[in-house]
Amino acid sequence: MSRRVVVLAVLTGAALLMTAPVSGAAQSAGISSADAVAAHAAAASLQDTLVRFFAQAPDSHGPVTVRVAPDAYPVYELSADFVTGKPGAAPGDFAYFAVPAQASDGRTATLWSVRGDDGAWQVGNIASGDVEGAYARQLPAGAQLLHEPQVDAWYAVRDGRLTPLAGGTAVTVADYQRTVGARYADKLPGSAYARDGEAGGYDATSQVMPRGDGGPAAPSHDTGWVPLLILAGVLAVSGAGYVFHLRRQAA
């Protein structure tokens, strides 16, 4: 089943105690523990919305209660400056805090908390599953969770290396930049690719990140499709400055 994503209204809630500290990597990007608290509060205020989210899902089997986990995982998306080889650019820009939630029947979802133009944290999306949390819990201490959405690849970034979290060989940041530069540099805003209206999809079946053994990296999970306007909003908040639309993949 494809990952389900829903646009939500701007909502905020009261801050509460967090059990998941913000990593040093996040703090170096200007994301603090106070931000995590505020981002989590925005997610925790949506209990009624989460109940409806689960109730309206195709696999729903009746009323549920929902628990929002006490975690807020910082997620980074591939940086446009990094793709173009801008000196000093990090592989990822902060995109959102992922806050997991679980229904009483065992189904899971993830709320995406983003910082609005006014500086307040708000929930922009709800996606089915606990993808971000599952990968974040694999991270070694001090690592950053990086997502390359165009091929749905997830990495741990630490000490100048990227380690694929779905299995594979670690690569250096320099090698990764050469790979994504070749893959995406001609598809940024203002390019012929964008002007021709080709931003509706990137073919992950023909161009994927190598595993290190010469073979392609298998998709880590089926994300389905992310509506273009939702992804644009998340990346605009993060300052990434570019939008790619992830093609729907077969389950």
Side-chain angles (χ1 to χ4, degrees), residues 155 162-164 166-171 183 208-219:
Y155 303 93
L162 288 89
T163 302
T169 303
V171 296
R183 186 180 291 164
V208 294
M209 179 71 179
R211 282 197 307 258
D213 59 2

Side-chain angles (χ1 to χ4, degrees), residues 53-99:
F53 175 86
F54 285 112
Q56 295 169 6
D59 55 353
S60 175
H61 298 291
V64 296
T65 58
V66 178
R67 174 184 176 271
V68 176
D71 305 304
Y73 300 109
V75 177
Y76 293 75
E77 300 280 5
L78 183 61
S79 163
D81 286 343
F82 181 77
V83 168
T84 59
K86 183 177 179 178
D93 291 320
F94 175 79
Y96 58 94
F97 277 105
V99 180

Side-chain angles (χ1 to χ4, degrees), residues 26 28 37 41 48 51 56 62 69 77 105 111 163 174 194 205 215 250:
S28 67
V37 170
D48 291 344
V51 168
Q56 295 169 6
E77 300 280 5
D105 61 5
L111 301 100
T163 302
T205 62

Side-chain angles (χ1 to χ4, degrees), residues 78-93 173-174 176-178 180-182 184-185 188 238-242:
L78 183 61
S79 163
D81 286 343
F82 181 77
V83 168
T84 59
K86 183 177 179 178
D93 291 320
V173 168
Y176 182 65
Q177 194 285 319
R178 284 189 284 271
V180 296
Y184 307 127
L188 297 175
S238 71
Y242 73 105

